[in-house]
């Protein structure tokens, strides 16, 4: 789930950068890209993934 959110944030950052939309400092394309990288790192670390591994005997 976090990887999908990261992909959406990367796409929004790309659109802001490609269309040269002027935004305030909080919603700049660099900040949105960094949020996407944060979500991608959390996904790789296993946080936010929907796969649950539980062992039952």
């Amino acid at each position: 789930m976090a990887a999908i959110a990261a992909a959406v944030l990367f796409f929004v950052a790309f659109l802001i950068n490609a269309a040269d939309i002027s935004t305030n400092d909080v919603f700049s394309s660099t900040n949105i890209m960094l949020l996407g990288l944060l979500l991608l790192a959390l996904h790789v670390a296993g946080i936010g993934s929907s796969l649950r591994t539980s062992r039952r005997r």
Side-chain angles (χ1 to χ4, degrees), residues 4-23:
I4 295 171
V8 169
L9 285 176
F10 285 140
F11 183 69
V12 169
F14 171 75
L15 286 179
I16 289 173
N17 193 18
D20 200 25
I21 298 172
S22 62
T23 59

Side-chain angles (χ1 to χ4, degrees), residues 1-52:
M1 189 69 171
I4 295 171
V8 169
L9 285 176
F10 285 140
F11 183 69
V12 169
F14 171 75
L15 286 179
I16 289 173
N17 193 18
D20 200 25
I21 298 172
S22 62
T23 59
N24 59 6
D25 291 333
V26 176
F27 294 111
S28 67
S29 64
T30 305
N31 287 344
I32 293 175
M33 183 180 60
L34 289 174
L35 285 174
L37 285 173
L38 172 74
L39 286 175
L40 192 61
L42 289 174
H43 175 74
V44 169
I47 300 170
S49 61
S50 63
L51 179 64
R52 295 181 186 197

